[in-house]
Amino acid sequence: EVQLVESGGGLVQPGGSLRLSCAASGFTFSTSAMSWVRQAPGKGLERVSSIDSGSGVTYYAGSVKGRFTISRDNAKNTLYLQLNSLKTEDTAMYYCAKGWFPGPSPVGQGTQVTVSS
């Protein structure tokens, strides 16, 4: 059974930073592409970033490119998302997901990121 446990969210002022983590289990993490998605209040799920399993190829949504950095530690079965220069519009529940194109239903409970002054 795929299990994904997100952590690291919180309340931060505009311009601040956070580092999200996702602990994965129940599948072969090292050979799986992984993604971060988010859902803002009243909006649909948005794919934020993805990282390939071996090549290190990454994808970023235009709205976060240059501010967010995705990375992974295959030895720890953990996915990360560094969020810098945060904006109020980054406020959302953040989920990690298995796959380059994640499905419509996040598996984990997510971690809340709130950007507010």
Side-chain angles (χ1 to χ4, degrees):
E1 177 186 0
V2 172
Q3 290 194 331
L4 300 167
V5 180
E6 302 91 344
S7 61
L11 173 64
V12 63
Q13 291 186 340
S17 297
L18 285 171
R19 189 193 195 201
L20 308 184
S21 299
C22 170
S25 62
F27 64 101
T28 306
F29 179 81
S30 60
T31 61
S32 299
M34 296 294 295
S35 297
W36 286 97
V37 298
R38 68 185 180 185
Q39 187 164 27
K43 296 189 177 181
L45 213 57
E46 176 190 14
R47 181 188 178 206
V48 175
S49 182
S50 301
I51 185 167
D52 192 14
S53 59
S55 65
V57 171
T58 57
Y59 159 84
Y60 294 97
S63 58
V64 308
K65 192 174 293 184
R67 300 188 298 119
F68 291 8
T69 303
I70 191 171
S71 62
R72 63 192 297 160
D73 186 335
N74 288 338
K76 296 182 178 179
N77 283 3
T78 302
L79 180 72
Y80 302 100
L81 187 68
Q82 178 68 39
L83 289 64
N84 295 332
S85 303
L86 281 161
K87 305 177 180 180
T88 55
E89 52 262 44
D90 294 318
T91 294
M93 186 72 78
Y94 285 71
Y95 303 89
C96 65
K98 182 175 178 288
W100 184 257
F101 293 108
S105 301
V107 172
Q109 84 290 348
T111 186
Q112 177 68 40
V113 171
T114 302
V115 185
S116 175
S117 55

